[in-house]
Amino acid sequence: MVRQTLADLRPFPMRFAMTWRIAAVCALVAGVAMMFSIPESAISCYLVIFLMKPDGTENILVPLVAAVLITIIVALLVLVVIVTIDSAFLRVLAMAVCSFVFLYIGAASKLGEAGGVVALIFAFLLTLLDLVPAGKFVSEGLRFAWEMAVMPLVVIAAFSLIFGPSTVSVLQVMMRERLDAARRAIVGDREKLEDLLQEGNGDGLKRTTFVKLFHLAPSAAATRMSTDVRASYQLMMAAGALPDDTPASVRASLGAQLQAAEAALEAGLSISSPPEPHLKAPRAERGMWDALTLMAGRAPPHFKPAPAEPFFAPDALTNPAYQQFALKITLAAISCYIFYTAIAWDGIHTAMITCYVAALGTTGETIHKLALRISGCLVGAAMGFGSILFLIPYMDEIWQLMLLVFLCIMVAAWVSTGPERISYAGVQVGLAFLLCMLQGFSPSTSLDSGWDRIVGILVGNVAVYFVSILIQPAPLAGTVRQNLAKALEGLSRLAAFAPAEREQHVAQAAEVEVLVGRINYQIYLLPFEPRHLQLSSRQKVNLEEMAGQVSALNREIFFSANALPALSARLHQLAADVRRADSGSCLVTGSPVGVGEDDALVPSRMTQRVGRMEALGAGGA
């Protein structure tokens, strides 16, 4: 984990650009909050770290949509306040009901963590009734809350309109990164390639949609970018599937062609058409040449999207795990609220906030996030207290505080722009630092408020930890099993297509790679689970091997020249067996499905991979 963390801190394309932009916007938000006396500016800056993306267009659209949604939420909250303002019991009941409903919707739908954010907004604003005189809450309290949330969104959008990177430039950087990863992979360095493949193609396609929708490039160029995004993903898959016995001369030729294509993109030139591959070249090698010809201007096939998942999970109403998750986090949050209200220590109100932002569906994911939150909190608090003791006494201007915020948030933003394994620690470093520093509307040397908020974070962590391990703990193995079943179903669909059609289904292949990435990430989190929930070392190794087999089979099927109907049926059966298995049994309960006559031409390597996965599952993976 230490080696992985150090690797995750390395620079990559656009990381520094994202870092300084996040720091600059946080500094601007802090300055605006000071000048216009907008409270809780630390939370406003937290929204900046949480929401900002690499793409300037997205940084304009998302904040504006979020501002509209927050306005609607605040308006709805007025109705809740009118009903509960005279009764503490009704207020707590309303907090619990709103919390449970939005957490449940988030867990059982594509809303995801956004459901927890909405639950947090409702619950936190209702707690302000204890602090603001009743007659002023609706007129002043909710107005301040609206300003606190909407002001940073407006600053993000305005800053990105002027200084945000263009969507076209972000796409160009992505394309060069993919070409470089493919070039490295054909000489044996596949680490970066695997990371990029497991990120999927969704972000790239979303950006090409922005280019078309907002006319950020001529129509022909926008269409070409859409093709290039798909072709470059196919190129990476082909590089990952290149046989180990590929001759050195072929690798050198491919490497030279990729290097020339990367140089052409960097110079703003068109990619030259590569030479035609030998007719007997392996399918993966031909896949690389085909992808390069697509990027050089060949008419693309009719690309088709992967099957869209419904907004709500199919088992949203039948799976008790969603209700249990919502109930546990609501219990933790309400318990924290009652605790700090009963002892009259409102300064630790960050305890309740922590319950919402640190909670995830499984115990391992939650504890991992808690570890990131605690470590980030301690680092950010050290930065904040050190600044208060040694720097703030010499500051008397807002611009000086803004400069300090910029420099310290640079550290937090560098971490937060990294992979999911560490990104939340960066968010927490920034939040803890800001909670210490931004007190009132001018530079302050008080340690009390910052100390209270840090204690609140730690109290919230403890509450979430205990509800996660004591009340219906959700082991990671169940989530791994579900993702594995989805990946196998994706492989089954891909194998069912005719060989000539598979090039059109890059999105389906990318979806499988994304699921493999999720499985690998969840396997990485297994050591964070309590010992009684952890899998054995053999089971962990089996899961790792199964994920590798799925990824390799995905590429082999995509580039196969054979029809694979029986292999598709076999994968479908394997997915069904994996999905049916409960957490206490082996992953696969069915019998291996034989290969029929229709699959007489299927490479034995594919059937061996499926057989190996069946054996791993039957062995208790």
Side-chain angles (χ1 to χ4, degrees):
M1 286 186 179
V2 172
R3 286 195 301 271
Q4 183 64 65
T5 300
L6 293 175
D8 290 340
L9 290 172
R10 295 172 187 163
F12 55 75
M14 297 197 72
R15 187 170 195 172
F16 179 75
M18 286 182 61
T19 297
W20 78 259
R21 286 181 172 89
I22 291 173
V25 174
C26 282
L28 289 173
V29 168
V32 171
M34 297 290 172
M35 288 187 286
F36 294 97
S37 299
I38 298 175
E40 296 291 349
S41 54
I43 303 299
S44 298
C45 291
Y46 168 77
L47 290 176
V48 174
I49 303 174
F50 184 75
L51 286 176
M52 280 196 73
K53 307 296 182 185
D55 182 6
T57 304
E58 191 171 3
N59 284 335
I60 296 172
L61 291 178
V62 172
L64 295 180
V65 173
V68 173
L69 293 177
I70 287 173
T71 302
I72 294 172
I73 290 172
V74 171
L76 291 175
L77 197 59
V78 172
L79 302 176
V80 179
V81 169
I82 292 174
V83 175
T84 63
I85 196 166
D86 295 323
S87 171
F89 172 75
L90 287 178
R91 189 159 62 250
V92 174
L93 181 62
M95 290 167 56
V97 171
C98 291
S99 173
F100 177 85
V101 169
F102 287 110
L103 284 168
Y104 169 71
I105 293 174
S109 72
K110 290 184 177 180
L111 195 62
E113 291 186 35
V117 173
V118 175
L120 167 61
I121 292 173
F122 265 98
F124 180 65
L125 291 182
L126 285 174
T127 65
L128 298 180
L129 282 172
D130 298 328
L131 307 177
V132 179
K136 295 183 178 181
F137 183 80
V138 175
S139 61
E140 294 185 12
L142 288 180
R143 176 172 63 83
F144 284 148
W146 182 84
E147 291 174 350
M148 173 192 74
V150 172
M151 180 270 290
L153 303 178
V154 174
V155 174
I156 291 172
F159 182 89
S160 299
L161 188 63
I162 302 171
F163 299 105
S166 72
T167 304
V168 173
S169 66
V170 174
L171 282 170
Q172 290 171 341
V173 170
M174 185 191 74
M175 300 297 296
R176 294 199 298 270
E177 189 177 16
R178 288 181 171 186
L179 288 169
D180 180 67
R183 182 176 57 82
R184 293 174 180 272
I186 62 176
V187 295
D189 182 7
R190 297 192 176 186
E191 181 178 359
K192 184 63 176 176
L193 181 85
E194 297 298 334
D195 289 342
L196 293 179
L197 282 171
Q198 291 171 11
E199 287 176 6
N201 220 17
D203 286 343
L205 294 176
K206 176 178 63 180
R207 290 172 186 138
T208 62
T209 302
F210 290 156
V211 172
K212 292 180 180 178
L213 186 62
F214 298 105
H215 302 285
L216 303 178
S219 179
T223 302
R224 173 51 47 194
M225 289 178 194
S226 180
T227 299
D228 287 351
V229 166
R230 293 174 170 90
S232 62
Y233 196 89
Q234 176 182 322
L235 178 73
M236 291 195 297
M237 286 192 62
L242 204 64
D244 293 335
D245 59 356
T246 302
S249 59
V250 173
R251 293 180 185 274
S253 177
L254 286 169
Q257 192 68 37
L258 290 169
Q259 194 166 20
E262 188 178 352
L265 285 179
E266 194 161 4
L269 303 174
S270 298
I271 296 176
S272 301
S273 296
E276 283 293 325
H278 191 273
L279 290 177
K280 294 185 179 181
R283 290 279 294 183
E285 181 188 333
R286 293 186 63 85
M288 294 192 71
W289 294 116
D290 288 345
L292 286 168
T293 59
L294 278 174
M295 297 175 70
R298 175 169 67 88
H302 179 62
F303 291 110
K304 297 179 180 179
E309 292 186 358
F311 181 76
F312 283 99
D315 59 349
L317 298 178
T318 58
N319 189 344
Y322 304 126
Q323 295 96 319
Q324 290 168 0
F325 167 75
L327 184 62
K328 287 191 292 185
I329 303 309
T330 297
L331 176 62
I334 299 301
S335 298
C336 287
Y337 169 68
I338 293 174
F339 171 71
Y340 68 71
T341 301
I343 63 175
W345 194 0
D346 292 323
I348 64 170
H349 63 271
T350 48
M352 190 182 73
I353 296 174
T354 297
C355 294
Y356 290 105
V357 300
L360 291 170
T362 65
T363 304
E365 289 173 305
T366 298
I367 295 176
H368 173 248
K369 198 169 186 179
L370 290 176
L372 294 179
R373 189 170 177 83
I374 291 173
S375 58
C377 173
L378 295 177
V379 172
M383 292 168 57
F385 290 147
S387 298
I388 290 174
L389 292 173
F390 301 109
L391 298 176
I392 294 296
Y394 303 100
M395 296 180 179
D396 51 15
E397 299 289 342
I398 290 178
W399 70 266
Q400 295 171 322
L401 181 63
M402 291 174 63
L403 178 60
L404 178 61
V405 169
F406 174 80
L407 294 175
C408 291
I409 293 300
M410 283 281 288
V411 177
W414 183 269
V415 180
S416 72
T417 54
E420 189 178 7
R421 288 180 292 266
I422 64 166
S423 59
Y424 192 74
V427 175
Q428 190 55 47
V429 169
L431 179 60
F433 168 77
L434 294 163
L435 287 172
C436 294
M437 291 296 303
L438 302 182
Q439 306 170 31
F441 309 114
S442 62
S444 172
T445 57
S446 171
L447 295 175
D448 293 340
S449 180
W451 170 252
D452 288 351
R453 294 176 178 191
I454 299 304
V455 170
I457 291 173
L458 298 177
V459 169
N461 282 328
V462 171
V464 172
Y465 175 78
F466 279 111
V467 299
S468 296
I469 66 170
L470 296 179
I471 304 176
Q472 290 293 327
L476 274 164
T479 305
V480 173
R481 187 175 63 254
Q482 294 303 314
N483 283 331
L484 184 58
K486 289 180 181 179
L488 290 167
E489 288 169 352
L491 284 180
S492 176
R493 286 193 294 269
L494 191 62
F497 297 127
E501 295 179 2
R502 292 194 189 115
E503 187 183 24
Q504 304 172 17
H505 294 277
V506 176
Q508 178 65 68
E511 186 180 74
V512 173
E513 293 289 345
V514 170
L515 288 167
V516 171
R518 290 181 192 170
I519 293 168
N520 286 331
Y521 176 63
Q522 287 154 356
I523 292 172
Y524 169 83
L525 297 179
L526 287 174
F528 289 93
E529 289 193 312
R531 182 166 298 178
H532 68 281
L533 296 179
Q534 288 185 9
L535 299 176
S536 68
S537 58
R538 181 179 65 84
Q539 289 174 314
K540 180 181 175 183
V541 170
N542 286 355
L543 283 173
E544 290 173 342
E545 185 176 348
M546 290 183 78
Q549 297 284 1
V550 168
S551 183
L553 192 58
N554 184 41
R555 300 164 198 181
E556 291 170 1
I557 291 174
F558 186 80
F559 293 109
S560 174
N562 301 312
L564 307 169
L567 187 66
S568 173
R570 188 174 180 180
L571 288 165
H572 180 74
Q573 180 63 48
L574 183 57
D577 290 337
V578 169
R579 194 179 292 280
R580 280 197 301 266
D582 59 48
S583 59
S585 66
C586 64
L587 279 178
V588 179
T589 58
S591 302
V593 178
V595 180
E597 292 182 2
D598 290 338
D599 279 342
L601 299 178
V602 175
S604 60
R605 182 168 50 192
M606 291 189 191
T607 57
Q608 287 169 359
R609 290 193 190 283
V610 179
R612 178 59 179 159
M613 285 192 285
E614 290 168 338
L616 289 168

